[in-house]
Amino acid sequence: MAAHVDPLVVGRVIGDVVDMFVPTMPLSVRFGTKDLTNGCEIKPSLAAAAPMVQIAGRLGDLFTLVMTDPDAPSPSEPTMKEWLHWLVVNIPGGSDPSQGQEVVPYMAPQPPLGIHRYVLVVYQQKARVAAPAQEPGPGPDAAMRARFSTRAFAGRHDLGLPVAAMYFNAQREPASRRRR
């Protein structure tokens, strides 16, 4: 019998983004009609709008969702890793991010070079997280998104280890395909 190898380990999500953990909460992520599985490829054009994310849990539970790109700007030289794509806190159990407080608005994948991993990590909060006020205008600037650390954020907010995580891959689409 073949041993099961965790796709989060194979994809280096565990190690590059989070420490080893055992998922304890079901997580469902979908772009349009495509359900995500760990390591699947998503065209950036399909991910232009925020994914539908369903977080399990009881009504009184609260969760944080973090989405980052640990390969920015290029997998061979990730000098801006992790690039923060989305941050939502105080999501009630059994619901989706629209029910929480969006701290950093969703930014679609825009991989300039190579195949990038886009990682969604869910933490169960011990208490409500005081969400900073949203930035004025269309959202935070690049300086706020570049070099984000999922681990450091979890540490600052006493979130402990994740309860769920999932990642997908994306690469730049040829211009002819994007125009359709």
Side-chain angles (χ1 to χ4, degrees), residues 49-114:
M52 290 176 271
V53 177
Q54 189 65 40
I55 299 170
R58 296 184 309 268
L59 190 57
D61 295 341
L62 291 173
F63 296 91
T64 293
L65 171 70
V66 178
M67 179 177 163
T68 66
D69 172 0
D71 300 318
S74 133
S76 60
E77 290 187 41
T79 57
M80 289 191 270
K81 85 171 188 181
E82 300 166 50
W83 185 272
L84 181 61
H85 278 264
W86 200 17
L87 177 59
V88 185
V89 298
N90 302 323
I91 304 167
S95 71
D96 62 78
S98 70
Q99 304 302 306
Q101 291 175 270
E102 189 175 70
V103 177
V104 176
Y106 177 77
M107 173 187 248
Q110 300 169 351
L113 185 64

Side-chain angles (χ1 to χ4, degrees), residues 16-30:
D16 286 356
V17 179
V18 295
D19 294 326
M20 181 61 85
F21 76 100
V22 176
T24 57
M25 192 69 56
L27 173 64
S28 162
V29 182
R30 182 181 328 129

Side-chain angles (χ1 to χ4, degrees), residues 124-142:
Q124 185 167 358
Q125 300 171 200
K126 295 177 176 84
R128 269 189 102 63
V129 170
Q134 275 189 311
E135 293 293 304
D141 63 353

